[in-house]
Amino acid sequence: VGSIVATTATAVVAFALVFSAAATAKGWKYQQGSVPTRLVHAVNGEDLGLARELPVDISIGFRCVAQGVPFGTVAEGPLLSPGTHQVRITLADSRKKRRGCRGTLVMADTINVNFGDDLSVVAHQTDDGGIRITKFNNDPRDAGLGIGRATVRHTADAPAVDILVEGDRLITDLTNANGAKLDVPEETYTVEIAPAGGDPLNPPGEIPLTVTAGENIIVYAIGSLRTGSFDLLVDVLPLQ
């Protein structure tokens, strides 16, 4: 059950580049389209030698859309038109707030948006301690009567992992910047995370993951095993 990797108390909110609703409402300048996005900020500043919150400004298409977004934020992003869009993340600078997203550049990348996409755009760490932006496609399709969807995404500074559900290794060799999903009956499952082929990690140990019919629970593995900041981040989206 993909999303299984994450229901620790601190996991319920996160950035892996999602805006806060307040930041989004305040910063919208981008021309709206038809493709929904989620923005997740999953970079722990302490792993970069900075403040843990690492507040950032976000630009899409060179337009400033959100300012002062802290680590651990997951929120609704803009509607985008199909095409290629550049995403730029800069350090938030209160002195330049009135002039838009003009702080020091942290990372930038382009994302391709197709008609019919449903996207999560995540700023996160790589498996070698770097940082990157990854686009994930969400599956909003109905899973069936009494069925929910669990999605797990590897966005941590960690090697490939396996996901165990009720002791069974249902997802194997999941690498950084990739995800997996499972459609399962509505229920609370015991989930564990293990290095590929290895024993479960402790912490986080056994994680109770509740899958609800009609919902997609998305769990991000974030942070770093090397520094001890490894954590989980959760987002929940409705199925259509």
Side-chain angles (χ1 to χ4, degrees):
V1 170
S3 177
I4 52 199
V5 36
T7 44
T8 65
T10 58
V12 184
V13 284
F15 187 109
L17 206 205
V18 256
F19 310 46
S20 69
T24 301
K26 185 174 182 178
W28 252 198
K29 298 178 183 177
Y30 197 75
Q31 181 178 359
Q32 291 193 344
S34 60
V35 176
T37 63
R38 302 286 286 173
L39 301 175
V40 182
H41 180 341
V43 178
N44 186 327
E46 291 180 347
D47 291 332
L48 307 179
L50 302 170
R52 181 180 185 275
E53 294 78 10
L54 189 62
V56 298
D57 297 338
I58 302 166
S59 300
I60 299 180
F62 297 102
R63 294 177 182 269
C64 186
V65 297
Q67 294 178 268
V69 181
F71 164 63
T73 299
V74 179
E76 183 177 355
L79 292 171
L80 297 180
S81 301
T84 300
H85 301 266
Q86 183 176 63
V87 179
R88 289 169 50 89
I89 300 175
T90 55
L91 293 179
D93 187 339
S94 59
R95 296 170 300 176
K96 300 179 180 179
K97 195 166 186 179
R98 292 186 178 182
R99 293 189 288 159
C101 304
R102 296 172 182 261
T104 302
L105 181 67
V106 177
M107 67 184 100
D109 204 350
T110 57
I111 59 171
N112 293 317
V113 177
N114 299 309
F115 180 78
D117 281 349
D118 186 320
L119 303 178
S120 288
V121 181
V122 182
H124 65 92
Q125 291 173 252
T126 62
D127 58 8
D128 60 0
I131 53 177
R132 64 172 290 174
I133 298 169
T134 298
K135 176 193 75 172
F136 291 98
N137 235 316
N138 303 314
D139 184 355
R141 296 173 299 176
D142 182 59
L145 184 64
I147 304 296
R149 181 164 295 132
T151 301
V152 60
R153 290 168 178 169
H154 186 335
T155 55
D157 175 10
V161 298
D162 297 340
I163 306 299
L164 290 75
V165 181
E166 301 296 335
D168 294 328
R169 235 170 255 263
L170 297 187
I171 298 172
T172 60
D173 202 29
L174 184 64
T175 56
N176 186 276
N178 287 288
K181 63 184 179 182
L182 293 170
D183 290 351
V184 295
E186 179 176 87
E187 191 173 328
T188 298
Y189 297 87
T190 297
V191 175
E192 296 173 282
I193 307 169
D199 296 328
L201 296 170
N202 189 14
E206 294 185 348
I207 304 162
L209 181 72
T210 300
V211 178
T212 301
E215 291 183 348
N216 181 9
I217 181 169
I218 304 171
V219 179
Y220 295 92
I222 64 173
S224 172
L225 284 179
R226 286 183 282 189
T227 67
S229 67
F230 184 83
D231 207 342
L232 301 167
L233 171 81
V234 174
D235 191 17
V236 178
L237 297 174
L239 301 176
Q240 298 174 356

